[in-house]
Amino acid sequence: MLGRAALVACAAIALASLATVLVALPGGAPTSADPGAPAVAWWVVLLPAVAGIALALVLPRRAAAMPAIVTDARRLHASTAVLLACAVALPVLSGALSLAGGEGYVLAKVVLVMLVPGIAVAVLGGVRIHRVRGAWRWWAPAVVVVVWTLLSQVAPWNPAHDLSGVDPVLLVVAASATAVTAGLGEELLFRRWLQTRLEAALGAWPGIALASLAFALMHLGSHATGSPVLDVARVVVAQGSFGLLMGVLWWRHRSLVAIVAAHVVSNGWAVAAHLLG
């Protein structure tokens, strides 16, 4: 019952957010906080995620289930509470202390996305994943990530970032820090650790939905523009749809390599294209 209520609530928030951005920002909006980030049409934002989710659900056609299983309910609840607290603390502290875009934000992410959650998971545990073997566990998510990359980064409808005025050394340093704290850290926190526990406690789809919503709202710390309702709607549609794809990939294939690779591509493709071009 609780899982169904959570799923309905997440769906309602997603639909309300989509309606809000379509009305308030019909031409699209920047989906990145990076300098030179262009406005992106909403269909361009959503198409890769929708296509990726569809592929993840059908590849392979007969994938064995790998459910998250509760091993200790009290430890599960305690570790989940710590992870959720960290997910909430990051945007709150970032906004209160104006950390976005600076070294303080990177440090806060290291502590709240990787260090504290990692210690909590190592000490408390509370859940395990029933894993199965099979070649499909690497080739199926690889196909999904490649198709998503083609649609979200390579296809001609994707607008280019203008990074011409940014120091190349700064770009490399910033991209490297983002790859670690976002590409690896966020996938560990929101998928490997948090979603797995929410799946075990509430069911697969409620767990995916709640972790994706938490992932989206975390971006308020770096993507806020001063309009709370519109900011929430923007991150739910843009970052939430990407988080939903990563969540489905993690649930279906339990491949941390695949979701980290996709996240690194999402954040670093524009920088790599600029430097190599």
Side-chain angles (χ1 to χ4, degrees), residues 187-231:
E187 291 308 316
L188 284 172
L189 172 59
F190 290 99
R191 253 65 68 177
R192 177 63 182 86
W193 296 335
L194 179 58
Q195 179 181 309
T196 300
R197 283 161 174 75
L198 292 173
E199 285 183 42
L202 301 173
W205 282 107
I208 294 170
L210 283 172
S212 301
L213 179 61
F215 171 75
L217 296 178
M218 181 272 297
H219 287 82
L220 289 173
S222 56
H223 290 64
T225 64
S227 177
V229 173
L230 190 54
D231 286 341

Side-chain angles (χ1 to χ4, degrees), residues 75-91 108-127 185-201 207 210-211 213-215 218 250:
R75 288 175 175 268
L76 170 71
H77 296 153
S79 59
T80 303
V82 173
L83 298 176
L84 286 172
C86 288
V88 171
L90 180 61
K109 288 191 73 172
V110 170
V111 173
L112 294 174
V113 173
M114 303 179 76
L115 184 60
V116 175
I119 293 173
V121 167
V123 172
L124 294 172
V127 65
E186 291 174 12
E187 291 308 316
L188 284 172
L189 172 59
F190 290 99
R191 253 65 68 177
R192 177 63 182 86
W193 296 335
L194 179 58
Q195 179 181 309
T196 300
R197 283 161 174 75
L198 292 173
E199 285 183 42
L210 283 172
L213 179 61
F215 171 75
M218 181 272 297
W250 172 246

Side-chain angles (χ1 to χ4, degrees), residues 94-115:
S94 178
L97 302 177
S98 300
L99 299 178
E103 295 85 351
Y105 185 67
V106 175
L107 178 59
K109 288 191 73 172
V110 170
V111 173
L112 294 174
V113 173
M114 303 179 76
L115 184 60

